[in-house]
C-alpha cells in the first residue's frame, strides 16, 4: 500500500484553552455536560419505574439508594442538571428565533440560566423534603 | 447573489436550498421538537415524582399506573430518549474522530437510548395493566 503522507503542519484554529473564560462560554460547556448527566440519569428513572412495577422488595432497594447520602447527592445533582439543561434549552429556543444575541441580552440570559437553575433546584428539594415529611 | 457569480450548484439545487446532504435537518428538527415537548413533560414528571415522594410501593404503583399519569410518563420517556440520543450522537461526532470507534459509539448510543426507553415504558405499562 502506498504510504500516506503525514498532513502538513498547519496552524490550528484557537480552541478553549486560548480564550479567557466567559460566562456564556462556560454555560455552553455546562449545557453539554448537564446533557451528558441527564443521559445517564435516565438509568435512575428506569430503575425507579422498574422497581415500582416489580414489587415492594425491589422498591425498597431503590428507596434505600435514594435515601442514602450518596443517593441524595446524586439525585440533587440530577435535579439541578435537568433544570439547568431545561433552562439552557429554553435559551437555545429563544436563540432559534433570532433573538437574545445582543451583548447584554446573552449575558443576562446566561446569568438567569445559572441563578434560575440553582434557585429552582433548591425550591424543588425543599418542597420534596416537606412532602416526604408530610402526611402519607 | 448576482448571476455573474460562478455556481457549481444547479438552479434547481439552489432553489431547493438543501445543499449536498438533501435531508440534513431531520435530527436538527427533531432535537428542537423534542426540546419543546420536554419542557411541559419534564415539569409534569417532576410534579408526579414530588407527589410520590415518601409513599410506599403500593401507593406509588397505584398512582403511576393511573391512565393520565402513565400516559404523561410514557410521553416523557419517549421525548426524552429521542432527545438524548440525538444529543449524545452530536457529542460523539464532535469528539470522536476515529471512524470505527465513532460508529461503534453511535450504535451503542442508539442501543442505550432504546433500552432505557423500553425498560421505562415496560415498567409504566406493567403498573398500568396491573400484572
Amino acid at each position: 500500500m502506498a504510504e500516506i503522507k503525514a498532513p502538513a503542519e498547519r496552524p490550528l484554529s484557537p480552541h478553549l484553552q486560548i480564550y479567557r473564560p466567559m460566562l456564556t462560554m462556560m454555560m455552553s460547556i455546562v449545557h453539554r455536560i448537564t446533557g451528558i448527566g441527564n443521559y445517564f440519569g435516565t438509568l435512575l428513572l428506569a430503575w425507579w419505574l422498574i422497581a415500582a412495577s416489580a414489587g415492594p422488595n425491589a422498591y425498597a432497594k431503590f428507596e434505600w439508594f435514594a435515601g442514602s447520602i450518596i443517593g441524595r447527592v446524586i439525585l440533587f445533582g440530577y435535579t439541578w442538571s435537568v433544570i439547568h439543561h431545561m433552562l439552557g434549552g429554553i435559551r437555545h429556543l429563544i436563540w432559534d428565533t433570532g433573538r437574545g444575541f445582543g451583548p447584554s441580552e446573552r449575558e443576562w440570559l446566561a446569568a438567569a440560566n445559572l441563578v434560575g437553575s440553582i434557585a429552582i433546584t433548591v425550591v424543588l428539594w425543599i418542597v420534596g423534603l416537606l412532602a416526604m415529611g408530610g402526611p402519607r | 447573489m448576482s448571476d455573474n457569480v460562478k455556481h457549481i450548484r444547479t438552479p434547481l439545487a439552489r432553489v431547493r436550498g438543501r445543499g449536498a446532504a438533501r435531508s440534513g435537518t431531520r435530527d436538527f428538527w427533531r432535537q428542537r421538537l423534542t426540546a419543546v415537548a420536554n419542557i411541559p413533560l419534564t415539569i409534569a414528571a417532576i410534579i408526579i415524582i414530588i407527589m410520590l415522594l415518601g409513599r410506599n410501593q403500593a401507593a406509588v404503583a397505584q398512582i403511576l399506573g393511573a391512565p393520565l399519569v402513565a400516559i404523561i410518563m410514557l410521553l416523557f420517556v419517549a421525548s426524552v430518549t429521542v432527545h438524548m440520543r440525538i444529543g449524545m450522537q452530536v457529542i460523539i461526532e464532535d469528539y470522536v474522530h476515529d471512524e470505527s470507534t465513532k460508529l461503534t459509539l453511535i450504535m451503542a448510543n442508539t442501543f442505550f437510548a432504546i433500552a432505557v426507553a423500553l425498560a421505562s415504558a415496560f415498567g409504566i405499562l406493567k403498573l398500568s395493566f396491573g400484572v
Side-chain angles (χ1 to χ4, degrees):
Chain A
M1 262 199 285
E3 284 290 313
I4 300 164
K5 274 189 187 170
E9 284 284 324
R10 292 197 175 94
L12 296 168
S13 62
H15 201 51
L16 288 178
Q17 66 271 24
I18 300 296
Y19 298 106
R20 186 163 39 84
M22 294 177 294
L23 184 63
T24 47
M25 166 181 146
M26 299 316 289
M27 296 304 281
S28 172
I29 297 165
V30 170
H31 190 70
R32 186 159 274 199
I33 293 171
T34 51
I36 295 170
N38 297 346
Y39 182 92
F40 292 106
T42 56
L43 287 173
L44 290 173
L45 178 77
W47 181 18
W48 174 61
L49 291 167
I50 296 277
S53 73
N57 289 338
Y59 200 69
K61 284 199 187 91
F62 178 84
E63 280 191 309
W64 171 83
F65 166 78
S68 68
I69 290 173
I70 185 85
R72 285 273 163 95
V73 170
I74 290 170
L75 287 172
F76 186 85
Y78 185 30
T79 311
W80 174 75
S81 183
V82 167
I83 299 295
H84 192 276
H85 197 80
M86 183 165 78
L87 295 183
I90 292 169
R91 205 159 55 108
H92 274 277
L93 291 172
I94 293 168
W95 284 335
D96 283 346
T97 68
R99 283 178 272 258
F101 285 109
S104 62
E105 290 166 308
R106 58 172 191 252
E107 290 299 321
W108 179 86
L109 279 170
N113 189 353
L114 187 61
V115 174
S117 68
I118 294 168
I120 291 172
T121 304
V122 170
V123 167
L124 283 176
W125 271 69
I126 291 169
V127 171
L129 290 172
L130 285 175
M132 286 189 78
R136 300 286 150 92
Chain B
M1 259 186 270
S2 58
D3 285 342
N4 58 13
V5 178
K6 291 237 184 296
H7 288 293
I8 296 173
R9 299 164 71 192
T10 62
L12 180 62
R14 223 168 40 244
V15 167
R16 283 180 173 158
R18 290 188 291 199
R22 302 190 194 285
S23 59
T25 56
R26 190 187 64 184
D27 275 3
F28 176 92
W29 175 248
R30 278 192 190 163
Q31 192 69 337
R32 272 133 195 93
L33 183 76
T34 51
V36 171
N38 282 349
I39 297 168
L41 291 171
T42 302
I43 292 169
I46 287 172
I47 292 169
I48 290 167
I49 289 166
I50 287 177
M51 274 165 43
L52 298 175
L53 287 174
R55 291 180 194 267
N56 64 24
Q57 187 269 337
V60 168
Q62 195 183 15
I63 295 169
L64 268 181
L68 183 64
V69 176
I71 289 167
I72 289 170
M73 290 306 288
L74 284 170
L75 288 171
F76 172 68
V77 165
S79 184
V80 158
T81 49
V82 169
H83 187 83
M84 78 180 195
R85 187 195 65 80
I86 299 169
M88 186 57 86
Q89 181 163 332
V90 170
I91 293 172
I92 293 165
E93 288 164 348
D94 276 359
Y95 302 129
V96 182
H97 304 305
D98 177 66
E99 198 64 18
S100 58
T101 314
K102 184 173 80 183
L103 289 176
T104 308
L105 285 173
I106 287 174
M107 286 176 89
N109 174 44
T110 305
F111 294 156
F112 179 87
I114 292 174
V116 166
L118 208 82
S120 303
F122 177 83
I124 299 164
L125 292 173
K126 187 169 182 287
L127 283 169
S128 213
F129 297 145
V131 185

